[in-house]
Amino acid sequence: MGTSDELNYLKSLVSQLNEKIAALEAKSGAPAPAKTPAQQLRTILMGPPGAGKGTQAPRIRDQFCVCHLATGDMLREQVNAKTPLGIEAKKIMDTGGLVSDEIMVGMIKDQLENNKACKNGFVLDGFPRTVPQAQKLDGMLASRGEKLDSVIQLLIDDQLLISRITGRLIHPSSGRTYHKEFSPPKKPGVDDVTGEPLIQRSDDNVETLRKRLTTYHSQTGPVADYYKVKGLWHGIDAAQSPSIVWDNLRAIFVGKK
C-alpha cells in the first residue's frame, strides 16, 4: 500500500469512528464534550479580494464551532439595526469619511461579549487592514485576557487573481457563480438551472481590481510583517484547490492545539 493510499485509508477509519461515536452519544443521550480553552481558536484570515476568504472562513466557523466576524457585514448590520455604533458609523459614512478604528474594534468587542457563537473563539475576516488597527485589536483582546492563536494570509499572484475574478459570472437571484474559463455555464451567458441571464459584477473589472490590489498590498504588507515579528503569521498558497487550502489551514489550527 502506497503512502497516499494508507493515508486515505486511515482518514476513512477516523471518519467512521467519529460517526460511530456521534451516533452512540446521540443514542445514549450523553452530551457532547464541552470545548475547553485549549481547544478554542482565535484567528485572522487575510487575503486580497477573490483569494478565497469567503470560501474558507465559513468552513473554519463550522468545523471549529467559532464565530465568523466579517467586519464589512458587521458594519452593515449595525447600521441597519440602528445601534448606537451603527448610528455613529452612518453619520461618518454619509459624509464620505472612514469609520474609525475605535468603532471597528468596538463592534468586534460587542460580538465577543454578546454573540454566543463566539464563546469558543472567532475567525476575523477583513480586519485589521493597518498596523494601528492590529495594535488596537491586540489591546482589546488583552483587556479580555485573550490573545490571537494565528494569522493566516492567503497568497496568490495578482495576475492569476485578476483572471479568476474578471471571468466570474453570477446568477443574481440565487447567487450561483460560474467562470468563463474554469467553470462555464452549459450555455454561454445563462444560468444552468433557470436559463436566466448571468451578469458580471460592476467591480469585477481589471482597472478596479488593480486599484483594490494596490491598496491591499500597501496596507496589509506592514500588517503581515507586524504579525511575523510576533510569530503568529502563516502564509498559504491560495492558487491551490480550495480543498488543499483547507487541509493546509486545518493543519495550522490543529498544530496550535
Side-chain angles (χ1 to χ4, degrees):
M1 186 182 287
T3 303
S4 177
D5 292 337
E6 187 175 1
L7 187 59
N8 289 332
Y9 171 69
L10 289 171
K11 282 182 178 177
S12 72
L13 278 181
V14 171
S15 177
Q16 289 170 37
L17 285 169
N18 284 335
E19 286 173 10
K20 191 161 187 177
I21 290 167
L24 288 169
E25 283 177 343
K27 193 173 180 180
S28 67
K35 293 265 184 179
T36 67
Q39 292 172 294
Q40 291 184 342
L41 178 71
R42 300 180 189 93
T43 192
I44 293 171
L45 192 60
M46 298 171 56
K53 297 191 302 297
T55 299
Q56 301 298 342
R59 193 163 183 184
I60 298 169
R61 175 198 66 205
D62 295 342
Q63 293 278 331
F64 289 89
C65 304
V66 297
C67 60
H68 172 204
L69 302 180
T71 49
D73 293 342
M74 287 164 55
L75 188 56
R76 284 186 285 274
E77 286 168 9
Q78 294 272 351
V79 170
N80 291 337
K82 297 182 179 177
T83 65
L85 275 173
I87 292 167
E88 190 177 347
K90 189 173 188 302
K91 286 179 188 173
I92 297 166
M93 291 157 69
D94 286 347
T95 59
L98 291 172
V99 177
S100 71
D101 296 347
E102 285 76 13
I103 288 178
M104 298 301 288
V105 172
M107 284 196 310
I108 295 166
K109 185 179 181 184
D110 177 67
Q111 287 291 309
L112 297 184
E113 290 175 352
N114 300 306
N115 184 346
K116 290 180 180 177
C118 297
K119 71 182 188 302
N120 293 323
F122 58 83
V123 51
L124 194 52
D125 170 6
F127 190 92
R129 294 179 187 269
T130 65
V131 171
Q133 288 178 352
Q135 292 169 333
K136 284 185 171 61
L137 177 65
D138 280 350
M140 184 272 286
L141 290 174
S143 72
R144 291 172 50 81
E146 298 173 351
K147 61 182 180 179
L148 291 167
D149 300 314
S150 56
V151 176
I152 316 294
Q153 186 172 11
L154 300 179
L155 306 168
I156 186 167
D157 179 74
D158 282 4
Q159 202 52 50
L160 177 57
L161 202 56
I162 288 169
S163 70
R164 265 191 187 183
I165 295 179
T166 54
R168 281 198 304 205
L169 296 167
I170 299 169
H171 179 237
S173 59
S174 71
R176 274 188 292 276
T177 59
Y178 302 85
H179 193 280
K180 292 174 184 175
E181 291 179 52
F182 310 128
S183 180
K186 293 173 185 174
K187 186 178 176 184
V190 298
D191 178 49
D192 288 350
V193 178
T194 64
E196 294 170 346
L198 299 173
I199 65 163
Q200 188 166 28
R201 275 177 36 174
S202 59
D203 57 349
D204 281 358
N205 63 77
V206 175
E207 186 181 352
T208 302
L209 273 169
R210 287 199 189 281
K211 287 179 181 175
R212 289 170 72 192
L213 288 169
T214 298
T215 302
Y216 168 79
H217 291 308
S218 64
Q219 288 184 339
T220 55
V223 174
D225 291 338
Y226 174 81
Y227 288 120
K228 283 176 184 176
V229 170
K230 290 177 170 286
L232 294 171
W233 182 91
H234 301 265
I236 291 179
D237 179 6
Q240 304 173 100
S241 72
S243 61
I244 294 175
V245 172
W246 168 250
D247 287 343
N248 291 335
L249 277 166
R250 194 176 183 285
I252 291 168
F253 299 145
V254 173
K256 287 280 177 187
K257 299 305 165 212

